[in-house]
Amino acid sequence: MSTRVPQGVSAEVFEDAKARMRAVVGRRWVIDEESQGLASYYDIYSPASEMTTAPSAAVAPANVEELQRVVVIAHELGIPLWTTSAGKNYAYGGPAPREAGMVVLDLKRMNRVLEVDTESAYAVVEPGVSYFQLYEHLQKNKIPLWIDCAAPGWGSVLGNASERGVGYTPYGDHWMMQCGLEVMLADGTLFRTGMGAMENSNTWNLFKYGYGPYLDGIFSQSNFGIITKMGIWLMPEPPGHMPFMITLPREDDLHMATDILRPLKINMVIPNGVLTPDLIWESATKVPRSKYYTGKGPMPDSARKKMAKDLDMGQWNVIAGLYGPQPIIDANWGVIRDAFAKIPGAKFYTGDDRPGDVSWEYRKKLMRGEPNLTEFNLMNWVGGGGHVNFSPISPTTGDDAVKQYEMIRSRAHEYGFDYMGEFAVGWREMHHIFMLMFNRTDEAETKRAYELFSLLIDEAAAEGYGEYRTNLHYMDHIAKTYGYNDDALWKLHRRIKRALDPKGILSPGKQGIWPLES
Amino acid sequence: MVTRRTFLQGAAATGAGATLVAEPTLAGWLEAGGPVVAVVDQRVGSGRQFSEALRSQGIAALADEHDPAIVLARLAEEFAPGGYTVIGLTQMATFLIAERTGMDNGLNLAWRGDHRLLPNGQLQHRLRGRAETMSALALDRAGDSWAYSLGQHLVAARLPGGAEEQSITTAVARPRQQTGSLVSWVLVPRA
């Protein structure tokens, strides 16, 4: 049995809590032994020891009623619960809590697809429903709707949306496509947002706003409540679809490509999120680094050039899709081709071009909502298992793209790492995802990765770039960079936390929101 | 005769650091009638050697392709949770996904070996195991055929329990059979 206990809770009280929780969910579903599955809640990817965030136990209720009873016990005894579900949330800390000793509240058993409305194109899901599961449900029942999934197909539909993750079809902004929540507060109170607050509502999952203040947003990336059900809009299967990739031969092409993309996105010529991965990101799912370079430090230009030539990849690679009737696809593709043809050496690929190209295949699947796990092959690049995502937001301009790229690449190289990154253009902004890969079995390298990440937070903030999401170990650090007017926003978060969860039992420290005066 | 119960009790008998928790042998599990499946990256020569060694002991290998979800979904469909043992030689991504999927399906990690190409081109094996197991594996003498040797001996070896990690660096200048780092692993049913 784990000897860890939640901070501030006596061993005696903790044993009492576990016994009472076992009486609710059954012995099997309160896990406090490493050999019985507790180790599956460890964060084994971050640049810090998994013991710094190892939970004392995990509890897995099967339904809302059991969850309510567990939460009431935790509330009464002051047991901190860290919520997770089907997803693994790797690169951001996995299912592990902020502090060692907290109890993981695992909602994986609450995994029912409660409803799919084929006509109005939405589903209602519980937290444990994965992308694979929802996709299979639609396939099995021959429902002509697409899901939009994150790259890791084992992720939770609800969990990813509530973390404000993104996908690859025109429905890629997952929180935007969410409609209607059921939420439980720290004292066990259950309520529904928007139209769901009506007893006999028939539009809970059709109209987001309801009547009165719109609350859904405060339950995303938050610890104010536990989302127990969520409506998610699904995309009707389009009459046509054409994925495309444009490879760009020079690093400098990033500037022009980004400026070309901005109006194409704002005017919705390209309806889905456009990705611009660099050479290494797009190659790493296909080959390990050691095939081209086994030396220390970042991969040299000569090796990069050989890899680009062998794999027929660009230094940057623009990836997106077109959807709808064929004449509309053809017209929009003409506009896009003309725009990118201004970049010397740009090469254009669509649909069945590039047979056998593993990365192109999984990108195409994602752009039509087919979940898979191929992107995990990025971890084969270095092979040591460690990875953490640095994810700043920036304007969609060539100047910003190049500035961010140069800033992060130069620091990564200084610390001995490759730059592996991609820009994801949304409605107006870009998510810049820098995947920091390191060998976690190498202590010195892991330490360097930790330090590099911290430095990047400060340097990005100094230039006005803030992260949209982060790993457990950097939540407080990043919260501090959102400090306008004497930390007014975070003070407000804490006031809300105090009002809704006065004992601070729900996911303490999530995004830097700690309870009370801690 | 090793029964399934005896095997599982053996697997539970020793706790260990990190996530290595068992001390059974695959041979024991096979003798107890438990299914053993292998997942092997057969795109590389070392993987093909490993598969060959397992096949000679009656263990069939599923090919690990570019999407690890496919092979892992097949295992989950084919067997009841906690009702099978999986042995693998794969790249890192498949190992990490297999370990996590295994934990969700009643399995624990009983063996992990990291087989890394070093910047100087040599191959390093980082293993956690008993001295006699390490000696039997003979990886330091196997050179470019290390994966065959590992496959031959891992089935009979007592899995590591709380033993110390050992590091063996082979003198192979640049392994012909391997272009990237590999991980060997065994997942066994939880008691």
Side-chain angles (χ1 to χ4, degrees), chain A residues 371-418:
Chain A
N372 61 81
L373 295 177
T374 306
E375 195 165 89
F376 272 90
N377 287 320
L378 292 176
M379 286 194 286
N380 299 335
W381 180 247
V382 173
H387 68 291
V388 61
N389 285 1
F390 180 68
S391 317
I393 300 293
S394 85
T396 307
T397 72
D399 286 350
D400 284 288
V402 170
K403 186 173 167 184
Q404 282 215 3
Y405 169 56
E406 289 182 347
M407 182 172 72
I408 294 174
R409 182 198 53 184
S410 63
R411 284 297 190 194
H413 286 189
E414 181 188 328
Y415 278 71
F417 298 103
D418 289 318

Coordinates of all heavy atoms in Angstrom, one line a residue, chain A residues 371-418:
Chain A
P371 N -9.7 8.6 -35.4 CA -8.7 8.6 -34.3 C -7.6 7.5 -34.5 O -7.9 6.4 -35.0 CB -9.5 8.2 -33.0 CG -10.8 7.6 -33.5 CD -11.0 8.1 -34.9
N372 N -6.4 7.8 -34.0 CA -5.3 6.9 -34.1 C -4.3 7.3 -33.1 O -4.5 8.3 -32.4 CB -4.7 6.9 -35.5 CG -4.2 8.2 -36.0 OD1 -3.1 8.6 -35.6 ND2 -5.0 9.0 -36.7
L373 N -3.2 6.6 -33.0 CA -2.1 7.0 -32.1 C -0.7 7.2 -32.7 O 0.3 7.2 -32.1 CB -1.9 5.8 -31.0 CG -3.1 5.6 -30.1 CD1 -2.8 4.4 -29.1 CD2 -3.4 6.8 -29.2
T374 N -0.8 7.4 -34.1 CA 0.5 7.4 -34.8 C 1.4 8.6 -34.3 O 2.6 8.4 -34.4 CB 0.2 7.6 -36.3 OG1 -0.7 6.5 -36.7 CG2 1.5 7.5 -37.1
E375 N 0.8 9.7 -33.9 CA 1.7 10.8 -33.6 C 2.6 10.5 -32.4 O 3.6 11.1 -32.2 CB 0.9 12.1 -33.3 CG 1.7 13.3 -33.3 CD 0.9 14.6 -33.3 OE1 0.5 15.1 -32.3 OE2 0.7 15.1 -34.5
F376 N 2.2 9.5 -31.6 CA 3.1 9.1 -30.5 C 4.5 8.6 -31.0 O 5.4 8.6 -30.2 CB 2.5 7.9 -29.7 CG 1.6 8.5 -28.6 CD1 0.2 8.7 -28.8 CD2 2.1 8.8 -27.3 CE1 -0.6 9.2 -27.8 CE2 1.3 9.3 -26.3 CZ -0.1 9.5 -26.6
N377 N 4.6 8.3 -32.3 CA 5.9 7.9 -32.8 C 6.9 9.0 -32.7 O 8.1 8.8 -32.9 CB 5.7 7.4 -34.2 CG 5.1 6.0 -34.3 OD1 5.4 5.2 -33.4 ND2 4.2 5.8 -35.2
L378 N 6.4 10.2 -32.5 CA 7.4 11.3 -32.2 C 8.3 11.0 -31.1 O 9.5 11.4 -31.1 CB 6.6 12.6 -31.9 CG 5.8 13.3 -33.0 CD1 5.1 14.5 -32.4 CD2 6.6 13.7 -34.1
M379 N 7.8 10.1 -30.2 CA 8.7 9.8 -29.0 C 9.8 8.9 -29.4 O 10.7 8.6 -28.7 CB 7.9 9.1 -28.0 CG 7.0 10.2 -27.2 SD 6.3 9.5 -25.7 CE 5.1 8.4 -26.3
N380 N 9.8 8.3 -30.6 CA 10.9 7.5 -31.1 C 12.1 8.3 -31.6 O 13.2 7.8 -31.8 CB 10.4 6.6 -32.3 CG 9.3 5.6 -31.8 OD1 9.2 5.3 -30.6 ND2 8.5 5.2 -32.7
W381 N 11.8 9.6 -31.8 CA 12.9 10.5 -32.3 C 14.2 10.4 -31.5 O 15.3 10.2 -31.9 CB 12.4 11.9 -32.4 CG 13.4 12.9 -33.0 CD1 13.9 13.9 -32.3 CD2 13.9 13.0 -34.3 NE1 14.8 14.6 -33.1 CE2 14.8 14.1 -34.3 CE3 13.7 12.2 -35.5 CZ2 15.4 14.4 -35.5 CZ3 14.3 12.6 -36.6 CH2 15.2 13.7 -36.6
V382 N 14.0 10.7 -30.2 CA 15.1 10.6 -29.3 C 15.1 9.2 -28.6 O 16.2 8.6 -28.4 CB 15.0 11.7 -28.2 CG1 16.1 11.5 -27.1 CG2 15.2 13.1 -28.8
G383 N 13.9 8.7 -28.3 CA 13.8 7.4 -27.8 C 13.9 7.2 -26.3 O 13.8 6.1 -25.7
G384 N 13.9 8.3 -25.6 CA 14.1 8.3 -24.1 C 12.8 8.5 -23.4 O 12.7 8.4 -22.1
G385 N 11.7 8.7 -24.1 CA 10.4 8.8 -23.5 C 9.9 10.1 -22.9 O 8.8 10.4 -22.8
G386 N 10.9 11.0 -22.6 CA 10.5 12.3 -22.0 C 10.0 13.3 -23.1 O 10.6 13.4 -24.2
H387 N 8.9 13.9 -22.8 CA 8.5 15.0 -23.7 C 7.5 16.0 -22.9 O 6.8 15.6 -22.0 CB 7.8 14.5 -24.9 CG 6.5 13.8 -24.7 ND1 6.4 12.6 -24.1 CD2 5.2 14.2 -25.1 CE1 5.1 12.2 -24.1 NE2 4.4 13.2 -24.6
V388 N 7.6 17.2 -23.3 CA 6.8 18.2 -22.7 C 6.5 19.3 -23.7 O 7.4 19.6 -24.5 CB 7.5 18.8 -21.4 CG1 8.8 19.4 -21.7 CG2 6.6 19.7 -20.6
N389 N 5.3 19.8 -23.8 CA 4.9 20.8 -24.8 C 4.9 22.2 -24.3 O 4.3 22.5 -23.3 CB 3.5 20.5 -25.3 CG 3.4 19.3 -26.2 OD1 4.5 18.6 -26.5 ND2 2.3 19.0 -26.7
F390 N 5.7 23.0 -25.0 CA 5.7 24.5 -24.7 C 4.8 25.1 -25.7 O 5.0 25.0 -26.9 CB 7.1 25.0 -24.8 CG 7.1 26.5 -24.5 CD1 6.9 27.0 -23.2 CD2 7.5 27.4 -25.5 CE1 6.9 28.3 -23.0 CE2 7.5 28.8 -25.2 CZ 7.2 29.2 -24.0
S391 N 3.7 25.7 -25.3 CA 2.6 26.1 -26.3 C 2.2 27.5 -26.2 O 1.1 27.8 -25.7 CB 1.4 25.2 -26.0 OG 1.8 23.9 -25.8
P392 N 3.0 28.5 -26.6 CA 2.6 29.9 -26.6 C 1.6 30.2 -27.8 O 1.6 29.6 -28.8 CB 3.9 30.6 -26.8 CG 4.8 29.7 -27.5 CD 4.4 28.3 -27.1
I393 N 0.8 31.2 -27.5 CA -0.1 31.8 -28.5 C 0.5 33.0 -29.1 O 1.1 33.8 -28.4 CB -1.5 32.1 -27.8 CG1 -2.1 30.9 -27.1 CG2 -2.5 32.7 -28.8 CD1 -2.5 29.8 -28.1
S394 N 0.2 33.2 -30.4 CA 0.8 34.4 -31.0 C -0.2 34.9 -32.1 O -1.0 34.2 -32.6 CB 2.2 34.2 -31.6 OG 2.1 33.6 -32.9
P395 N 0.0 36.2 -32.6 CA -0.8 36.6 -33.7 C -0.3 35.8 -35.0 O 0.8 35.3 -35.0 CB -0.4 38.1 -33.9 CG 0.3 38.5 -32.6 CD 0.8 37.2 -32.0
T396 N -1.2 35.7 -35.9 CA -0.9 35.0 -37.2 C -0.2 35.9 -38.1 O -0.8 36.4 -39.1 CB -2.2 34.4 -37.8 OG1 -2.8 33.6 -36.8 CG2 -1.8 33.5 -39.0
T397 N 1.0 36.2 -37.9 CA 1.8 37.1 -38.8 C 3.2 36.4 -39.0 O 3.7 35.7 -38.2 CB 2.1 38.5 -38.2 OG1 3.0 38.4 -37.2 CG2 0.8 39.1 -37.7
G398 N 3.7 36.7 -40.2 CA 5.0 36.2 -40.5 C 6.1 36.6 -39.5 O 6.9 35.9 -39.1
D399 N 6.0 37.9 -39.1 CA 6.9 38.4 -38.1 C 6.9 37.7 -36.8 O 8.0 37.3 -36.3 CB 6.7 39.9 -37.9 CG 7.1 40.8 -39.0 OD1 7.7 40.3 -39.9 OD2 6.7 42.0 -39.0
D400 N 5.7 37.4 -36.3 CA 5.6 36.7 -35.0 C 6.0 35.3 -35.2 O 6.7 34.7 -34.3 CB 4.1 36.8 -34.5 CG 3.8 38.1 -34.0 OD1 4.3 38.4 -32.9 OD2 3.1 38.9 -34.6
A401 N 5.7 34.6 -36.3 CA 6.1 33.2 -36.5 C 7.6 33.1 -36.4 O 8.2 32.2 -35.7 CB 5.5 32.7 -37.8
V402 N 8.3 34.0 -37.2 CA 9.7 33.9 -37.3 C 10.4 34.3 -35.9 O 11.3 33.6 -35.5 CB 10.2 34.8 -38.4 CG1 11.8 34.9 -38.4 CG2 9.8 34.2 -39.8
K403 N 9.8 35.3 -35.3 CA 10.4 35.7 -34.0 C 10.3 34.5 -33.0 O 11.2 34.2 -32.3 CB 9.6 36.9 -33.5 CG 10.1 37.5 -32.2 CD 9.3 38.8 -32.0 CE 9.4 39.4 -30.7 NZ 8.5 40.6 -30.5
Q404 N 9.1 33.9 -32.9 CA 8.9 32.8 -32.0 C 9.9 31.6 -32.3 O 10.5 31.0 -31.5 CB 7.5 32.3 -32.0 CG 6.6 33.2 -31.2 CD 5.5 32.4 -30.5 OE1 5.5 31.2 -30.6 NE2 4.6 33.1 -29.9
Y405 N 9.9 31.3 -33.6 CA 10.7 30.2 -34.1 C 12.2 30.4 -33.7 O 12.8 29.5 -33.1 CB 10.6 30.0 -35.6 CG 11.5 29.0 -36.2 CD1 11.7 27.7 -35.7 CD2 12.4 29.4 -37.2 CE1 12.6 26.8 -36.3 CE2 13.3 28.5 -37.8 CZ 13.4 27.3 -37.3 OH 14.3 26.4 -37.9
E406 N 12.7 31.6 -34.0 CA 14.1 31.9 -33.8 C 14.4 31.9 -32.3 O 15.4 31.4 -31.8 CB 14.5 33.2 -34.4 CG 14.6 33.0 -35.9 CD 15.0 34.2 -36.7 OE1 15.0 35.3 -36.1 OE2 15.3 34.1 -37.9
M407 N 13.5 32.4 -31.5 CA 13.6 32.5 -30.1 C 13.7 31.1 -29.4 O 14.7 30.8 -28.7 CB 12.5 33.3 -29.5 CG 12.5 33.5 -28.0 SD 11.1 34.6 -27.5 CE 9.7 33.6 -27.7
I408 N 12.8 30.3 -29.8 CA 12.8 28.9 -29.2 C 13.9 28.0 -29.8 O 14.5 27.3 -29.0 CB 11.4 28.3 -29.4 CG1 10.3 29.2 -28.6 CG2 11.3 26.9 -28.9 CD1 8.9 28.7 -28.8
R409 N 14.1 28.1 -31.1 CA 15.1 27.2 -31.7 C 16.5 27.6 -31.1 O 17.2 26.7 -30.8 CB 15.1 27.4 -33.2 CG 16.1 26.5 -33.9 CD 16.4 27.0 -35.3 NE 16.9 28.4 -35.3 CZ 17.1 29.1 -36.3 NH1 17.0 28.6 -37.5 NH2 17.5 30.4 -36.2
S410 N 16.8 28.8 -31.0 CA 18.1 29.2 -30.5 C 18.3 28.7 -29.1 O 19.4 28.2 -28.7 CB 18.4 30.7 -30.6 OG 17.5 31.4 -29.8
R411 N 17.3 28.9 -28.2 CA 17.4 28.4 -26.8 C 17.5 26.8 -26.8 O 18.3 26.3 -26.0 CB 16.3 28.8 -26.0 CG 16.3 30.3 -25.6 CD 17.6 30.6 -24.7 NE 17.5 31.9 -24.2 CZ 18.6 32.5 -23.6 NH1 19.7 31.9 -23.5 NH2 18.5 33.7 -23.1
A412 N 16.7 26.2 -27.6 CA 16.7 24.7 -27.7 C 18.1 24.2 -28.1 O 18.7 23.3 -27.4 CB 15.6 24.2 -28.6
H413 N 18.7 24.9 -29.1 CA 20.0 24.4 -29.5 C 21.0 24.7 -28.4 O 21.9 23.9 -28.2 CB 20.4 25.2 -30.8 CG 19.6 24.6 -32.0 ND1 19.9 25.0 -33.3 CD2 18.6 23.7 -32.1 CE1 19.1 24.4 -34.1 NE2 18.3 23.6 -33.4
E414 N 20.9 25.9 -27.8 CA 21.9 26.2 -26.7 C 21.8 25.1 -25.6 O 22.9 24.8 -25.1 CB 21.4 27.6 -26.1 CG 22.3 28.1 -25.0 CD 21.7 29.3 -24.4 OE1 21.0 30.1 -25.1 OE2 21.9 29.5 -23.2
Y415 N 20.7 24.6 -25.4 CA 20.5 23.6 -24.3 C 20.8 22.1 -24.9 O 20.6 21.2 -24.1 CB 19.2 23.7 -23.6 CG 19.1 24.7 -22.6 CD1 19.2 26.1 -22.9 CD2 19.1 24.4 -21.2 CE1 19.2 27.1 -21.9 CE2 19.1 25.4 -20.2 CZ 19.1 26.7 -20.6 OH 19.1 27.7 -19.6
G416 N 21.1 22.0 -26.1 CA 21.4 20.7 -26.7 C 20.3 19.9 -27.3 O 20.4 18.7 -27.5
F417 N 19.1 20.6 -27.5 CA 18.0 19.9 -28.0 C 17.6 20.3 -29.4 O 17.9 21.4 -29.8 CB 16.7 20.2 -27.1 CG 16.9 19.7 -25.7 CD1 17.2 20.6 -24.7 CD2 16.8 18.3 -25.4 CE1 17.3 20.2 -23.4 CE2 17.0 17.9 -24.1 CZ 17.3 18.8 -23.1
D418 N 17.0 19.4 -30.2 CA 16.5 19.8 -31.5 C 15.2 20.7 -31.3 O 14.5 20.5 -30.3 CB 16.0 18.5 -32.3 CG 17.2 17.7 -32.7 OD1 18.2 18.3 -33.1 OD2 17.1 16.5 -32.6

